[in-house]
Amino acid sequence: MAGLSRRTFAATALAALPALLATGAAGPAAARPAPVAGAPAGGGRAPAGAMRGMWLATVGNRDWPSRPGLSAARQRDELLRYLDAAVKRRLNTVILQVRPTADALWPSPHEPWSAYLTGTQGRAPGWDPLGTAVAEAHARGLELHAWFNPYRVAAHTDPSRLVAGHPARRNPDWVVPYGGKLYYNPGLPEVRAFVEDAILDAVERYPVDAVHFDDYFYPYPVAGQAFADEKAFEAHGDSFSTRAAWRRDNIDLLVRETAARIRATRPGTRFGISPFGVWRNASTDARGSRTRGGVQTYDDLYADTRTWVREGWIDYVVPQLYWHIGQSAADYAVLAEWWADTARGTGTALYLGEALYKAGDPAQAAAWQDVRELSRHLELAAALPEVGGHVFFSAKEVAADPSGALARVVADHY
């Protein structure tokens, strides 16, 4: 994810964020993050119970493992080094991607072992990464949130490249090729039930502190291509006037059902989602943000993120506010305030997703060359009582901190 969002599929997608916007851009152990944001501490310092998180991405071996095919001992060592880095940076939560592409980083009875571990999909790595991550995170006083991508199947469109017995090969009618990738069709009830079963298996097995979804629901739009779900709409969309409304209902059902099943399976485990930062532009909907986002989650990903927050369907939301303060199309300050307004009085905790990966990157705007930019984000957020913390993308930059931006955040706020 270095230029789109952390949830990117391959390195080539990491530079795609500018296309998403009409005019350019698209933590020693601490206490358990508070379920509801508290008042900001004086002087811009984060409250003791605030979320101080990092995403640990496995898709494309973005953060971990550093490459596929490492020995079990080397994989484990790398994982523990990231957990130690979180402690060193005074973070308290690690969001580990455990189902990047309809696969698993634990011995799932539903889906194959991830190829990002061994280099071969379905090949056992010789250890249990998720089980180890939970145990070792908790031993360090960290929360471990298990991060799942619901519908992504593969970074190609050839089902024969999937391991024999893969659910997508056994059920080819579940799969839609789109934009050079394979996706499960969110409009099929049997797909939704399967995805939930695959996720809940991890919740049943391990005392994860939360289940976490990223920003991919229906895929990001690809110019000149249509997501081929006509047959599913004909079969299941009779009560909806438009396919768009039906698609949004499909995602709403996934969110509500997953939340209910998590509560029934392991009470106390939270459910959080990290959407793209723009719900709708105010020019589209008066309730939207004063932005000019080329992508709007409501209209393009069929993800009504505002409703999920307002109705309390999720425990926390982490909008990806991967822009600098003053960005013309999507100003961090404008979006932080909009999300605070959205979360106010709902009981849904609000944390802000931070683009640590942009800090010091010469390809980014001038604001990101200032080591103080991210620290200013936290200073601004401290004036918004609804903001209960921040999550940084991603682990590689947390560990290395090449620009010193995170060290500045820690010194100023942690």
Side-chain angles (χ1 to χ4, degrees):
M1 165 184 130
L4 168 63
S5 84
R6 66 185 170 281
R7 311 356 183 196
T8 47
F9 234 0
T12 55
L14 301 182
L17 181 55
L20 300 184
L21 291 171
T23 62
R32 179 183 180 91
V36 179
R45 308 235 3 136
M51 164 69 82
R52 304 174 180 181
M54 75 177 188
W55 284 287
L56 179 52
T58 60
V59 66
N61 297 100
R62 200 280 176 190
D63 294 326
W64 174 84
S66 58
R67 58 181 173 85
L70 299 177
S71 68
R74 176 72 179 276
Q75 290 179 15
R76 185 179 187 276
D77 180 67
E78 288 187 356
L79 176 63
L80 298 190
R81 287 177 183 271
Y82 277 123
L83 299 182
D84 289 340
V87 173
K88 178 182 178 182
R89 302 296 184 190
R90 301 184 181 177
L91 306 185
N92 57 24
T93 302
V94 173
I95 302 174
L96 172 64
Q97 191 174 33
V98 300
R99 186 180 182 266
T101 53
D103 51 12
L105 271 73
W106 76 96
S108 170
H110 302 285
E111 295 178 305
W113 281 104
S114 176
Y116 300 125
L117 294 170
T118 64
T120 301
Q121 191 175 64
R123 178 181 294 171
W127 68 302
D128 181 353
L130 177 52
T132 300
V134 173
E136 294 289 345
H138 289 173
R140 289 163 172 75
L142 299 166
E143 287 203 1
L144 196 290
H145 295 203
W147 164 15
F148 304 84
N149 183 282
Y151 295 117
R152 188 166 58 198
V153 175
H156 56 77
T157 58
D158 183 2
S160 70
R161 291 172 56 184
L162 302 173
V163 66
H166 193 289
R169 294 185 67 174
R170 296 198 310 268
N171 303 278
D173 56 319
W174 288 8
V175 181
V176 179
Y178 180 80
K181 303 176 179 66
L182 294 175
Y183 297 91
Y184 284 132
N185 188 344
L188 297 176
E190 57 269 34
V191 163
R192 187 172 69 250
F194 171 79
V195 167
E196 293 171 11
D197 288 346
I199 292 168
L200 268 293
D201 178 70
V203 179
E204 291 172 356
R205 290 171 181 259
Y206 308 103
V208 297
D209 296 288
V211 167
H212 184 93
F213 286 175
D214 55 19
D215 53 320
Y216 285 99
F217 295 97
Y218 280 86
Y220 278 86
V222 176
Q225 297 191 30
F227 191 80
D229 58 358
E230 296 88 352
K231 291 183 179 179
F233 180 51
E234 291 173 3
H236 304 289
D238 286 350
S239 61
F240 296 90
S241 59
T242 66
R243 196 185 307 184
W246 169 72
R247 286 176 172 176
R248 274 188 291 275
D249 187 67
N250 293 331
I251 304 304
D252 285 351
L253 285 171
L254 174 74
V255 170
R256 295 203 309 270
E257 290 174 4
T258 300
R261 293 186 64 177
I262 292 168
R263 289 193 298 269
T265 300
R266 192 178 288 275
T269 298
R270 303 170 76 203
F271 181 30
I273 295 179
S274 178
F276 182 74
V278 178
W279 172 70
R280 300 186 97 185
N281 299 316
S283 59
T284 303
D285 187 322
R287 299 169 298 172
S289 53
R290 291 181 290 107
T291 51
R292 299 192 306 278
V295 166
Q296 302 170 87
T297 64
Y298 181 93
D299 303 276
D300 298 304
L301 308 182
Y302 306 97
D304 189 359
T305 54
R306 180 180 182 275
T307 290
W308 305 345
V309 172
R310 299 294 297 174
E311 297 297 325
W313 294 351
I314 56 179
D315 296 302
Y316 70 80
V317 65
V318 194
Q320 297 172 35
L321 305 190
Y322 290 174
W323 305 286
H324 60 270
I325 296 171
Q327 208 279 347
S328 60
D331 187 335
Y332 179 93
V334 168
L335 282 163
E337 184 174 348
W338 185 88
W339 280 100
D341 290 343
T342 297
R344 185 173 301 126
T346 65
T348 303
L350 170 64
Y351 315 130
L352 304 183
E354 303 288 346
L356 176 61
Y357 72 93
K358 287 187 174 181
D361 181 351
Q364 300 296 333
W368 291 107
Q369 312 313 314
D370 187 340
V371 72
R372 299 169 294 177
E373 175 66 22
L374 281 180
S375 185
R376 291 189 182 110
H377 290 194
L378 273 71
E379 183 74 26
L380 182 154
L384 300 171
E386 293 77 22
V387 177
H390 303 259
V391 183
F392 300 94
F393 187 83
S394 70
K396 186 181 295 184
E397 287 76 18
V398 167
D401 193 24
S403 69
L406 185 58
R408 183 62 183 256
V409 166
V410 173
D412 290 349
H413 303 281
Y414 295 168

